[in-house]
Amino acid sequence: MPQTLLTPAAFAATDLVDHHCHGVVEHALARPEFETLITESNWDAPAGTSVFDSQLGTAIRRWCAPLLDLDAHVDAERYLERRAELGARDVNERLLRAAGIDRYLIETGYRGDDILDASEMATRADASADTVVRLERLAEQLVGSLEHGSAYAEAFRARLAAEVTTAVGVKTIAAYRLGLDFDPARPTDAEVAAAAEAWMRELSAGAEPRLEDAVLIRFGIWCAVDAQQAIQFHIGFGDPDVDLHRCDPLLLTEWLRLTRTSGARVLLLHCYPFHRNAGYLAHVFPHVYCDVGLAINYVGAASPQVIAESLELTPFDKALFSSDAFGLPELYFLGAHLFRRGLTQVINGWIDADEWDAATGESLVRKICGENAMRAYQLEPDAVFGAGR
Amino acid sequence: MPQTLLTPAAFAATDLVDHHCHGVVEHALARPEFETLITESNWDAPAGTSVFDSQLGTAIRRWCAPLLDLDAHVDAERYLERRAELGARDVNERLLRAAGIDRYLIETGYRGDDILDASEMATRADASADTVVRLERLAEQLVGSLEHGSAYAEAFRARLAAEVTTAVGVKTIAAYRLGLDFDPARPTDAEVAAAAEAWMRELSAGAEPRLEDAVLIRFGIWCAVDAQQAIQFHIGFGDPDVDLHRCDPLLLTEWLRLTRTSGARVLLLHCYPFHRNAGYLAHVFPHVYCDVGLAINYVGAASPQVIAESLELTPFDKALFSSDAFGLPELYFLGAHLFRRGLTQVINGWIDADEWDAATGESLVRKICGENAMRAYQLEPDAVFGAGR
Amino acid sequence: MPQTLLTPAAFAATDLVDHHCHGVVEHALARPEFETLITESNWDAPAGTSVFDSQLGTAIRRWCAPLLDLDAHVDAERYLERRAELGARDVNERLLRAAGIDRYLIETGYRGDDILDASEMATRADASADTVVRLERLAEQLVGSLEHGSAYAEAFRARLAAEVTTAVGVKTIAAYRLGLDFDPARPTDAEVAAAAEAWMRELSAGAEPRLEDAVLIRFGIWCAVDAQQAIQFHIGFGDPDVDLHRCDPLLLTEWLRLTRTSGARVLLLHCYPFHRNAGYLAHVFPHVYCDVGLAINYVGAASPQVIAESLELTPFDKALFSSDAFGLPELYFLGAHLFRRGLTQVINGWIDADEWDAATGESLVRKICGENAMRAYQLEPDAVFGAGR
């Protein structure tokens, strides 16, 4: 029997919240720099090869080219020429506005000087934008101003409290700096003071302020718990600084038990290839949410499969959308575009198999696109059409 | 070229053995209690959300509603109203009989006082029912009757021997209590006596009898090996008491080497999201079988994908069917219904791709539905139409 | 809109390089011996069952039977009768030539006396064949000729240098002998001498030369790094000697960091069920390549899914083809046939979904079939039509 399928109109019924992304760069990009922004590798591809020969590169040629007035599947060289002809600002505006993202939650802790800030992003995208604070960056900004390790704990708490008067949540990169098998227990004040003192000694000896101390990273996370924040965790793949086998979200299980009733919400970002594990955690822990951002862009045409897997155990009220885009407007556009296409394909597959009806699909779309992020971040609905517009 | 596809008749050619499930409850269920039975979480969903908004909830609204004379996709509230109108016994009979399960192997060790026993299940379902004994429960029932730890080993062996004169197999929840990275070696008599003595001291001091001692849990498993039993292992996801990263069945590898020639058979239950790993173990170890029960219900419309993955490396003679249903008759019905639908879809996909013929598919259906369980549990064919009917 | 799909002609545009396989046996095979060659198990299937009842067995009956003038899906008994009628040499020639593999890279370290060598394989297959040297076998062949452990390092280096004047790469089975969580550091000369001395003492005491010492296995790998070789690693599933949970390629992360700029290339073999993890490593490390050989044969009809997953993060310039066939010509034929069918199905699925164009697909086919192997092994193009023909 013919089923009523989900249509693009399902997405028009809700605002789309990108709950984790960064800002775009806005300068002329030569091919090498562009290529570094479409790979998670930190190094050049082998001689004679190009990172355009990938799912993401193919998706850029397919979907972004027409937005720059080119044919779909144009070659990379021509694509980059056209990009240069239009100029960075025009390209940013075209692709960001085509993304159809209504609200950006922008994490500001990574290469903040190279990218547009939240207010500029809001303008370019004709959308609203809020900020998310990186806990480790906060510590790195703070530590230089202290005289004694014993002042660290109080100073950090105060700084965090000040930040979250405007920021809508926090982010931790414990996955990168420690691995997710970190000690789940709350560190004691004495441990914090001693660790801060040790770090300050390193800084006095001339070290760059880069927070790698396990006690202080854990302390930052626990401060966010106490402040009942929405706490984003990098999970799963990323650049090769990460030990991916230590980024399985299941390693957070004990910490999730300890924080379940705290009032904090935990947002598991990216999660690939552990997205099924993340879905399990979102299923059993009331305060856990997850997404497959970043992965959708990188797996490109294969993203419906990843989206489907992420919707196996994850409750419909716990799945989120993010692009995790950084630098290139292509990544925001594709993050949203491939998400909408993939989610539609997955839901319509279930409707077509006579398992779902369209109403269930439409409800899921509203939840993932916006309602779940609104709940997890305790966002005010009005603010969606706020300062950025 | 058009292929001959598998039809529902393929399933009529064999009895369906649910090799791992529990009993149903039979009392009026208010919405909160019903919701706790359709999630693996132990806690309430976030305020304003419902566990009905999930793959399992959607499958209930789609497939169970018509069996209660409602439209498919009816809302949860109406579904529960109708359920209350009909009464627990009528709902149990309708859904259990619609499940089309011919033989239930019922594990009795979990909340046995709250649910129907095997004989009652057989009556409700118009099917036959055998029992499977939980090893840890056996120990907990036994320990209070002993005076010295030195008597534990012999008493446990005797009790197990008595139980398996009627039970068709045993179950262990070592995954929950220890993690599957337990020491694979057989504990010595002295270790067992000492561990039992220590446990008895705790009980004398007023503790509830809950077996968490690694030596005694391992001893129970080894007793079942020596008794050449069919031994069910909880594997993979479940409620949040589990440390899921310690429930990968690969952690059993060394123990499987030690028990390969024992005559025992090992049944890996559920296995999601490690079902490919379970398939590998079933592939290389002659005494290992596996299923994706529990997962099929929870992933709902996405279950064909999980079923397909479970049939990559698993030999056709090693795959089993289970619902792992507990409490709600919906879970037995959906366990069987989604299994039949999903398996049909997967096999027909392979036939349609000109990789399989229908005879191969029909053979696989017979094996998974019943033949493999009959072999693994050394069941008598006649008993299928036994006491329960 | 109708898309131009990939056709079989896409594969005619490139030579197919099987970058990792072994040789065929060429003697009459009774059913038990044949069955041992179509399973990774080391032991008999349960009484009353056959390893033919598997994805691989089904694929043999479907695809190989017609090449022996039988109907597709013929039963196993008839298949083996016909095989015996034709004789091993005829069957080898039929199936190897039908495989359409143009160049074989043959690893010679496993049961070399039982199988055809590279030159014989080239003749049977009407193709060219090169060799890959197993590092652990090299050590085992060498150690008996030494008088002191202190001579081991230099002797091994010299032997390796001699071997790679003709061999195109090396293979390590560290996954089997150590697990991939081995110490990534380069062992010191003193450690090597001491370990060799200890091994030589075991041999003097009558032990068979089987290299299991971690220092010497790691040393062998580091010698290959220094020699800037193409280094194949067994990854993921295989026979039950392997502890599969210690064969996740992510465990190599630190070693990959240490060797990134060495000039060596690292080829991750098989990788199932960790192929997504392998794809991540190939994505971020310029010197890493991967394949899903072995798995394609064993998962049979389900192989398109595995192929699709392997092409999520893997750059198109880093994916390779291998059969990992050993013993039976069926395994080379199916390795290539199912690879071509599966890759075509996956790419055409993406074209059909309007995500890819045919040109992108054709380019990927050329890369995986041959170009990537040519780069990774630094093969001379002319040699493809070399000595073997």
Side-chain angles (χ1 to χ4, degrees), chain C residues 257-276:
Chain C
R257 290 189 184 116
L258 296 177
T259 58
R260 178 175 60 83
T261 61
S262 64
R265 286 81 58 207
V266 178
L267 303 313
L268 307 176
L269 302 175
H270 330 315
C271 299
Y272 180 99
F274 308 115
H275 42 289
R276 281 173 159 165

PDB file of all heavy atoms in Angstrom, chain C residues 257-276:
ATOM      1  N   ARG C 257      52.234   6.956  14.718  1.00  0.00           N
ATOM      2  CA  ARG C 257      52.820   8.294  14.906  1.00  0.00           C
ATOM      3  C   ARG C 257      54.338   8.234  14.762  1.00  0.00           C
ATOM      4  O   ARG C 257      54.956   9.095  14.145  1.00  0.00           O
ATOM      5  CB  ARG C 257      52.456   8.835  16.288  1.00  0.00           C
ATOM      6  CG  ARG C 257      50.982   9.186  16.439  1.00  0.00           C
ATOM      7  CD  ARG C 257      50.712   9.928  17.747  1.00  0.00           C
ATOM      8  NE  ARG C 257      49.277  10.154  17.896  1.00  0.00           N
ATOM      9  CZ  ARG C 257      48.515   9.623  18.863  1.00  0.00           C
ATOM     10  NH1 ARG C 257      49.067   8.873  19.816  1.00  0.00           N
ATOM     11  NH2 ARG C 257      47.228   9.863  18.904  1.00  0.00           N
ATOM     12  N   LEU C 258      54.922   7.193  15.336  1.00  0.00           N
ATOM     13  CA  LEU C 258      56.389   7.079  15.324  1.00  0.00           C
ATOM     14  C   LEU C 258      56.943   6.809  13.932  1.00  0.00           C
ATOM     15  O   LEU C 258      58.096   7.103  13.656  1.00  0.00           O
ATOM     16  CB  LEU C 258      56.837   5.957  16.272  1.00  0.00           C
ATOM     17  CG  LEU C 258      56.526   6.153  17.758  1.00  0.00           C
ATOM     18  CD1 LEU C 258      56.958   4.920  18.557  1.00  0.00           C
ATOM     19  CD2 LEU C 258      57.231   7.399  18.295  1.00  0.00           C
ATOM     20  N   THR C 259      56.143   6.221  13.073  1.00  0.00           N
ATOM     21  CA  THR C 259      56.647   5.804  11.759  1.00  0.00           C
ATOM     22  C   THR C 259      56.132   6.664  10.610  1.00  0.00           C
ATOM     23  O   THR C 259      56.441   6.388   9.451  1.00  0.00           O
ATOM     24  CB  THR C 259      56.222   4.338  11.474  1.00  0.00           C
ATOM     25  OG1 THR C 259      54.789   4.258  11.525  1.00  0.00           O
ATOM     26  CG2 THR C 259      56.826   3.388  12.495  1.00  0.00           C
ATOM     27  N   ARG C 260      55.391   7.705  10.932  1.00  0.00           N
ATOM     28  CA  ARG C 260      54.705   8.480   9.889  1.00  0.00           C
ATOM     29  C   ARG C 260      55.644   9.022   8.828  1.00  0.00           C
ATOM     30  O   ARG C 260      55.352   8.978   7.634  1.00  0.00           O
ATOM     31  CB  ARG C 260      53.919   9.627  10.528  1.00  0.00           C
ATOM     32  CG  ARG C 260      53.202  10.524   9.518  1.00  0.00           C
ATOM     33  CD  ARG C 260      52.351  11.557  10.211  1.00  0.00           C
ATOM     34  NE  ARG C 260      53.106  12.419  11.073  1.00  0.00           N
ATOM     35  CZ  ARG C 260      53.771  13.505  10.659  1.00  0.00           C
ATOM     36  NH1 ARG C 260      53.759  13.854   9.376  1.00  0.00           N
ATOM     37  NH2 ARG C 260      54.433  14.246  11.526  1.00  0.00           N
ATOM     38  N   THR C 261      56.805   9.502   9.228  1.00  0.00           N
ATOM     39  CA  THR C 261      57.703  10.155   8.265  1.00  0.00           C
ATOM     40  C   THR C 261      58.833   9.232   7.827  1.00  0.00           C
ATOM     41  O   THR C 261      59.805   9.688   7.222  1.00  0.00           O
ATOM     42  CB  THR C 261      58.308  11.428   8.889  1.00  0.00           C
ATOM     43  OG1 THR C 261      59.062  11.040  10.048  1.00  0.00           O
ATOM     44  CG2 THR C 261      57.238  12.422   9.284  1.00  0.00           C
ATOM     45  N   SER C 262      58.704   7.953   8.119  1.00  0.00           N
ATOM     46  CA  SER C 262      59.805   7.020   7.864  1.00  0.00           C
ATOM     47  C   SER C 262      60.006   6.703   6.395  1.00  0.00           C
ATOM     48  O   SER C 262      61.062   6.228   5.994  1.00  0.00           O
ATOM     49  CB  SER C 262      59.539   5.707   8.610  1.00  0.00           C
ATOM     50  OG  SER C 262      58.367   5.099   8.067  1.00  0.00           O
ATOM     51  N   GLY C 263      58.971   6.882   5.594  1.00  0.00           N
ATOM     52  CA  GLY C 263      59.032   6.429   4.208  1.00  0.00           C
ATOM     53  C   GLY C 263      58.400   5.055   4.011  1.00  0.00           C
ATOM     54  O   GLY C 263      58.136   4.640   2.889  1.00  0.00           O
ATOM     55  N   ALA C 264      58.160   4.340   5.105  1.00  0.00           N
ATOM     56  CA  ALA C 264      57.447   3.056   5.005  1.00  0.00           C
ATOM     57  C   ALA C 264      55.964   3.315   4.753  1.00  0.00           C
ATOM     58  O   ALA C 264      55.444   4.368   5.111  1.00  0.00           O
ATOM     59  CB  ALA C 264      57.627   2.246   6.290  1.00  0.00           C
ATOM     60  N   ARG C 265      55.292   2.333   4.121  1.00  0.00           N
ATOM     61  CA  ARG C 265      53.839   2.390   3.986  1.00  0.00           C
ATOM     62  C   ARG C 265      53.263   1.217   4.781  1.00  0.00           C
ATOM     63  O   ARG C 265      53.858   0.140   4.810  1.00  0.00           O
ATOM     64  CB  ARG C 265      53.401   2.281   2.514  1.00  0.00           C
ATOM     65  CG  ARG C 265      53.666   3.557   1.721  1.00  0.00           C
ATOM     66  CD  ARG C 265      55.100   3.654   1.261  1.00  0.00           C
ATOM     67  NE  ARG C 265      55.463   2.515   0.435  1.00  0.00           N
ATOM     68  CZ  ARG C 265      56.695   2.031   0.305  1.00  0.00           C
ATOM     69  NH1 ARG C 265      57.728   2.578   0.962  1.00  0.00           N
ATOM     70  NH2 ARG C 265      56.925   0.988  -0.475  1.00  0.00           N
ATOM     71  N   VAL C 266      52.118   1.465   5.396  1.00  0.00           N
ATOM     72  CA  VAL C 266      51.514   0.473   6.281  1.00  0.00           C
ATOM     73  C   VAL C 266      50.183   0.029   5.680  1.00  0.00           C
ATOM     74  O   VAL C 266      49.305   0.861   5.421  1.00  0.00           O
ATOM     75  CB  VAL C 266      51.303   1.063   7.693  1.00  0.00           C
ATOM     76  CG1 VAL C 266      50.625   0.045   8.597  1.00  0.00           C
ATOM     77  CG2 VAL C 266      52.635   1.509   8.275  1.00  0.00           C
ATOM     78  N   LEU C 267      50.071  -1.259   5.448  1.00  0.00           N
ATOM     79  CA  LEU C 267      48.883  -1.811   4.802  1.00  0.00           C
ATOM     80  C   LEU C 267      48.110  -2.629   5.830  1.00  0.00           C
ATOM     81  O   LEU C 267      48.585  -3.669   6.280  1.00  0.00           O
ATOM     82  CB  LEU C 267      49.280  -2.719   3.634  1.00  0.00           C
ATOM     83  CG  LEU C 267      50.146  -2.179   2.498  1.00  0.00           C
ATOM     84  CD1 LEU C 267      49.656  -0.857   1.994  1.00  0.00           C
ATOM     85  CD2 LEU C 267      51.610  -2.188   2.780  1.00  0.00           C
ATOM     86  N   LEU C 268      46.935  -2.135   6.203  1.00  0.00           N
ATOM     87  CA  LEU C 268      46.105  -2.823   7.195  1.00  0.00           C
ATOM     88  C   LEU C 268      45.224  -3.835   6.463  1.00  0.00           C
ATOM     89  O   LEU C 268      44.375  -3.457   5.657  1.00  0.00           O
ATOM     90  CB  LEU C 268      45.254  -1.812   7.962  1.00  0.00           C
ATOM     91  CG  LEU C 268      46.027  -0.644   8.610  1.00  0.00           C
ATOM     92  CD1 LEU C 268      45.052   0.341   9.264  1.00  0.00           C
ATOM     93  CD2 LEU C 268      47.061  -1.127   9.614  1.00  0.00           C
ATOM     94  N   LEU C 269      45.437  -5.108   6.756  1.00  0.00           N
ATOM     95  CA  LEU C 269      44.746  -6.183   6.036  1.00  0.00           C
ATOM     96  C   LEU C 269      43.465  -6.608   6.744  1.00  0.00           C
ATOM     97  O   LEU C 269      43.435  -6.698   7.971  1.00  0.00           O
ATOM     98  CB  LEU C 269      45.644  -7.422   5.946  1.00  0.00           C
ATOM     99  CG  LEU C 269      47.005  -7.259   5.279  1.00  0.00           C
ATOM    100  CD1 LEU C 269      47.785  -8.571   5.404  1.00  0.00           C
ATOM    101  CD2 LEU C 269      46.874  -6.867   3.821  1.00  0.00           C
ATOM    102  N   HIS C 270      42.437  -6.906   5.966  1.00  0.00           N
ATOM    103  CA  HIS C 270      41.171  -7.510   6.437  1.00  0.00           C
ATOM    104  C   HIS C 270      40.335  -6.520   7.261  1.00  0.00           C
ATOM    105  O   HIS C 270      39.284  -6.109   6.863  1.00  0.00           O
ATOM    106  CB  HIS C 270      41.380  -8.786   7.264  1.00  0.00           C
ATOM    107  CG  HIS C 270      42.570  -9.592   6.935  1.00  0.00           C
ATOM    108  ND1 HIS C 270      42.902  -9.871   5.634  1.00  0.00           N
ATOM    109  CD2 HIS C 270      43.517 -10.198   7.704  1.00  0.00           C
ATOM    110  CE1 HIS C 270      43.997 -10.616   5.630  1.00  0.00           C
ATOM    111  NE2 HIS C 270      44.385 -10.814   6.869  1.00  0.00           N
ATOM    112  N   CYS C 271      40.824  -6.307   8.508  1.00  0.00           N
ATOM    113  CA  CYS C 271      40.297  -5.219   9.355  1.00  0.00           C
ATOM    114  C   CYS C 271      38.919  -5.484   9.969  1.00  0.00           C
ATOM    115  O   CYS C 271      38.591  -4.901  11.004  1.00  0.00           O
ATOM    116  CB  CYS C 271      40.274  -3.889   8.607  1.00  0.00           C
ATOM    117  SG  CYS C 271      41.921  -3.366   8.083  1.00  0.00           S
ATOM    118  N   TYR C 272      38.109  -6.339   9.356  1.00  0.00           N
ATOM    119  CA  TYR C 272      36.795  -6.658   9.911  1.00  0.00           C
ATOM    120  C   TYR C 272      36.958  -7.234  11.300  1.00  0.00           C
ATOM    121  O   TYR C 272      37.797  -8.072  11.502  1.00  0.00           O
ATOM    122  CB  TYR C 272      36.095  -7.667   8.996  1.00  0.00           C
ATOM    123  CG  TYR C 272      34.710  -8.089   9.440  1.00  0.00           C
ATOM    124  CD1 TYR C 272      33.586  -7.505   8.885  1.00  0.00           C
ATOM    125  CD2 TYR C 272      34.531  -9.094  10.383  1.00  0.00           C
ATOM    126  CE1 TYR C 272      32.304  -7.897   9.266  1.00  0.00           C
ATOM    127  CE2 TYR C 272      33.260  -9.483  10.780  1.00  0.00           C
ATOM    128  CZ  TYR C 272      32.152  -8.877  10.222  1.00  0.00           C
ATOM    129  OH  TYR C 272      30.895  -9.273  10.601  1.00  0.00           O
ATOM    130  N   PRO C 273      36.140  -6.900  12.298  1.00  0.00           N
ATOM    131  CA  PRO C 273      35.044  -5.923  12.251  1.00  0.00           C
ATOM    132  C   PRO C 273      35.476  -4.508  12.621  1.00  0.00           C
ATOM    133  O   PRO C 273      34.641  -3.694  12.991  1.00  0.00           O
ATOM    134  CB  PRO C 273      34.084  -6.476  13.306  1.00  0.00           C
ATOM    135  CG  PRO C 273      34.993  -7.066  14.351  1.00  0.00           C
ATOM    136  CD  PRO C 273      36.209  -7.579  13.613  1.00  0.00           C
ATOM    137  N   PHE C 274      36.757  -4.231  12.498  1.00  0.00           N
ATOM    138  CA  PHE C 274      37.296  -2.920  12.864  1.00  0.00           C
ATOM    139  C   PHE C 274      37.579  -2.068  11.614  1.00  0.00           C
ATOM    140  O   PHE C 274      38.446  -1.195  11.647  1.00  0.00           O
ATOM    141  CB  PHE C 274      38.589  -3.103  13.680  1.00  0.00           C
ATOM    142  CG  PHE C 274      38.451  -4.026  14.858  1.00  0.00           C
ATOM    143  CD1 PHE C 274      39.145  -5.231  14.921  1.00  0.00           C
ATOM    144  CD2 PHE C 274      37.619  -3.696  15.922  1.00  0.00           C
ATOM    145  CE1 PHE C 274      39.030  -6.089  16.013  1.00  0.00           C
ATOM    146  CE2 PHE C 274      37.498  -4.546  17.023  1.00  0.00           C
ATOM    147  CZ  PHE C 274      38.202  -5.743  17.066  1.00  0.00           C
ATOM    148  N   HIS C 275      36.872  -2.336  10.518  1.00  0.00           N
ATOM    149  CA  HIS C 275      37.212  -1.665   9.259  1.00  0.00           C
ATOM    150  C   HIS C 275      36.914  -0.170   9.316  1.00  0.00           C
ATOM    151  O   HIS C 275      37.579   0.595   8.624  1.00  0.00           O
ATOM    152  CB  HIS C 275      36.508  -2.337   8.083  1.00  0.00           C
ATOM    153  CG  HIS C 275      35.098  -2.713   8.338  1.00  0.00           C
ATOM    154  ND1 HIS C 275      34.735  -3.744   9.182  1.00  0.00           N
ATOM    155  CD2 HIS C 275      33.938  -2.204   7.870  1.00  0.00           C
ATOM    156  CE1 HIS C 275      33.411  -3.849   9.205  1.00  0.00           C
ATOM    157  NE2 HIS C 275      32.904  -2.917   8.430  1.00  0.00           N
ATOM    158  N   ARG C 276      35.939   0.244  10.118  1.00  0.00           N
ATOM    159  CA  ARG C 276      35.731   1.685  10.248  1.00  0.00           C
ATOM    160  C   ARG C 276      36.920   2.326  10.972  1.00  0.00           C
ATOM    161  O   ARG C 276      37.329   3.432  10.640  1.00  0.00           O
ATOM    162  CB  ARG C 276      34.441   1.968  11.011  1.00  0.00           C
ATOM    163  CG  ARG C 276      33.205   1.808  10.138  1.00  0.00           C
ATOM    164  CD  ARG C 276      31.935   1.917  10.951  1.00  0.00           C
ATOM    165  NE  ARG C 276      30.791   2.252  10.095  1.00  0.00           N
ATOM    166  CZ  ARG C 276      29.520   2.142  10.451  1.00  0.00           C
ATOM    167  NH1 ARG C 276      29.220   1.723  11.666  1.00  0.00           N
ATOM    168  NH2 ARG C 276      28.558   2.457   9.624  1.00  0.00           N
TER     169      ARG C 276
END
